[in-house]
Amino acid sequence: MFRSLAGVNYRIWAAGAIVSNVGTWMQRTAQDWIVLTQLTHNNASAVGFVMALQFGPQLLLLPVTGWAADHLDRRKLLMATQGAMGLLGLGLGILTVTGMVQLWHVYLFALLLGVVAAFDAPARQTFVSELVAGPNLSNAVALNSASFNAARLIGPAVAGLLTAAVGAGWVFLINAATFGAVLLSLAMLRREQLYRAERAKRTRGGLIDGFRYVRRRPDILVILVMVFLIGTFGLNFPIFISTMSVTVFHQGAGEYGLLSSIMAVGSVVGALLSARRDRPRVSLLFAGAAFFGFGCALAAVMPTYWLFALALIVIGVSSQTLMTTANGTVQMTTDPLLRGRVMAIYMAIFMGGTPVGAPIVGWVADTFGPRWAMGVGAASGFAAALVGVFYLIRYRGLRVRFAGIKPSFVLAPREVVREELVETEATVTRTS
């Protein structure tokens, strides 16, 4: 499960990353709380707008960010982006501690953070391939997710307690300080032991090669469609959890932070289960999507705070299984020369759908109630599962056979699928 930690560079990176991730989750929790309860009167649409500003640049800056991840030194790029995010946390913290913060300040800092994160995300995702050898890449991706969600166990709970005790401003300042850990880890890496791949050459069509590549890979296309559906309409947890906590169960900041931590328990379990597998499996994508829809539907009808919290564990396990498998599959099956651009497309679709989905989900929560907003998340999971079934029927030859009255599901032989992918790769190479 933890085989990637055998490499000293990955251990150094993981140590710095988990500290920074704790700070990130602290800031997200405190930010959503002050927007919902201090800067507005329980306005879920405002929370959705903050999310739209924070994740919109992922989509708008896609060609530039993918190019940067493939052509620039990723370690240096990450040092620049992580330092910039630390400064933004510091600025928002100072405004909040001094009592000067207004809603438009949060909007502005969310937008600036989104621009920096648009460059950070594909570089950070693909930098993992420079820390570990190829066979352990899937494990490293899963452990990254486990680290991110382990921090989610700690960050929201601590943020809730600190927000209630000393205010959100100090949470933002602590987050700014945590970026020092990841900057230190990047400086401490043994550069001679990095697995540096050949850099992509600068060509006239370099920016669109990633799109051409994805267009000819139906296995990656179906993953992107599934990720778009769930990322856009399903992974709006700041809206789901905050509105359910405040307007349905009438809880405070501490209980709100606890809900995020409880869901993270499921997320960590899902990531660690993915880390145990030798390779990502396509079937887990579709099972994860279906169970995500089921978990959201279950949470929507829970009558009490603690039963709702238990349903969040199901959502955490299923969503993390889906996203870790999707990330690992895309990274492991993509040409290394195009990996940065393809991962930029992946991250743009994953995070960039938020500007569309978050305001819609926030409007549903304000107009019809938080339970109906959870229903939108459930629908996204079931829709993604149906897309996966269509792919299995169309490209993997899924058939249902009956032995008496007992059904069984049969796929085309793996060798046939592998031959089709090899032919696709050859076509893409010739076109490029």
Side-chain angles (χ1 to χ4, degrees):
M1 185 182 294
F2 302 100
R3 56 188 179 274
S4 295
L5 293 173
V8 62
N9 273 344
Y10 189 76
R11 288 200 303 272
I12 294 171
W13 164 260
I18 193 169
V19 175
S20 178
N21 287 336
V22 169
T24 297
W25 278 112
M26 289 174 63
Q27 171 145 335
R28 287 185 181 182
T29 304
Q31 175 181 278
D32 296 335
W33 181 258
I34 66 169
V35 169
L36 187 68
T37 64
Q38 296 179 24
L39 302 178
T40 70
H41 184 64
N42 297 343
N43 191 331
S45 296
V47 178
F49 189 58
V50 171
M51 294 175 63
L53 290 172
Q54 191 162 323
F55 299 121
Q58 296 269 1
L59 187 60
L60 297 176
L61 298 175
L62 171 60
V64 182
T65 58
W67 181 91
D70 273 336
H71 291 84
L72 302 181
D73 185 307
R74 291 168 186 157
R75 188 184 71 88
K76 293 180 180 179
L77 179 58
L78 285 173
M79 294 186 77
T81 57
Q82 293 288 309
M85 287 192 282
L87 290 175
L88 289 171
L90 177 63
L92 183 58
I94 291 173
L95 284 174
T96 308
V97 167
T98 57
M100 298 173 61
V101 69
Q102 298 179 35
L103 185 59
W104 73 267
H105 291 144
V106 179
Y107 288 161
L108 176 61
F109 276 89
L111 177 62
L112 293 174
L113 183 62
V115 171
V116 178
F119 286 90
D120 180 83
R124 181 162 34 87
Q125 294 289 331
T126 53
F127 186 60
V128 177
S129 63
E130 297 186 16
L131 299 172
V132 297
N136 287 331
L137 180 58
S138 176
N139 176 257
V141 169
L143 289 183
N144 269 6
S145 295
S147 169
F148 188 69
N149 287 286
R152 196 175 182 182
L153 283 170
I154 304 168
V158 173
L161 294 174
L162 287 177
T163 300
V166 297
W170 289 101
V171 176
F172 299 146
L173 293 177
I174 292 172
N175 172 56
T178 62
F179 282 99
V182 73
L183 289 172
L184 180 61
S185 70
L186 286 167
M188 291 175 60
L189 291 176
R190 300 179 182 179
R191 278 168 273 182
E192 71 279 0
Q193 295 183 19
L194 293 175
Y195 298 92
R196 295 191 183 275
E198 179 185 356
R199 291 288 178 212
K201 296 180 180 179
R202 301 187 182 189
T203 60
R204 182 184 295 269
L207 294 178
I208 62 173
D209 281 346
F211 291 100
R212 290 173 177 166
Y213 183 85
V214 168
R215 184 168 59 87
R216 293 176 173 85
R217 288 287 303 272
D219 55 326
I220 293 181
L221 272 176
V222 70
I223 292 175
L224 295 181
V225 173
M226 294 175 68
V227 165
F228 171 77
L229 288 170
I230 291 183
T232 301
F233 301 105
L235 300 184
N236 294 292
F237 300 134
I239 299 174
F240 295 150
I241 296 178
S242 63
T243 54
M244 289 289 288
S245 177
V246 173
T247 64
V248 175
F249 301 119
H250 309 291
Q251 301 295 323
E255 291 80 7
Y256 162 55
L258 181 60
L259 284 178
S260 295
S261 295
I262 288 174
M263 189 176 73
V265 172
S267 299
V268 172
V269 171
L272 291 178
L273 289 175
S274 297
R276 291 190 60 173
R277 304 181 185 102
D278 57 346
R279 57 182 176 79
R281 293 177 172 83
V282 175
S283 58
L284 289 173
L285 287 170
F286 315 131
F291 275 100
F292 178 82
F294 170 75
C296 288
L298 186 65
V301 299
M302 285 293 116
T304 68
Y305 173 87
W306 289 109
L307 288 176
F308 176 74
L310 290 176
L312 291 180
I313 296 178
V314 178
I315 296 175
V317 173
S318 57
S319 63
Q320 200 55 46
T321 298
L322 170 70
M323 293 306 167
T324 302
T325 304
N327 190 313
T329 301
V330 172
Q331 289 218 50
M332 291 187 69
T333 63
T334 297
D335 184 341
L337 293 177
L338 291 163
R339 185 174 289 149
R341 277 161 286 184
V342 172
M343 286 307 297
I345 295 172
Y346 174 89
M347 294 305 297
I349 289 174
F350 177 39
M351 309 298 287
T354 301
V356 177
I360 293 174
V361 172
W363 176 81
V364 171
D366 285 335
T367 306
F368 302 102
R371 295 187 185 277
W372 284 100
M374 293 293 307
V376 174
S380 72
F382 294 136
L386 289 175
V387 170
V389 171
F390 171 78
Y391 166 79
L392 290 178
I393 294 173
R394 175 67 176 80
Y395 293 99
R396 293 291 303 273
L398 177 66
R399 298 292 183 270
V400 181
R401 293 179 180 175
F402 289 89
I405 61 172
K406 183 179 180 180
S408 61
F409 299 93
V410 181
L411 295 176
R414 192 170 296 276
E415 291 75 14
V416 174
V417 177
R418 187 178 295 114
E419 288 175 4
E420 291 178 354
L421 290 178
V422 169
E423 291 177 1
T424 301
E425 291 282 356
T427 302
V428 173
T429 302
R430 288 194 299 271
T431 303
S432 299

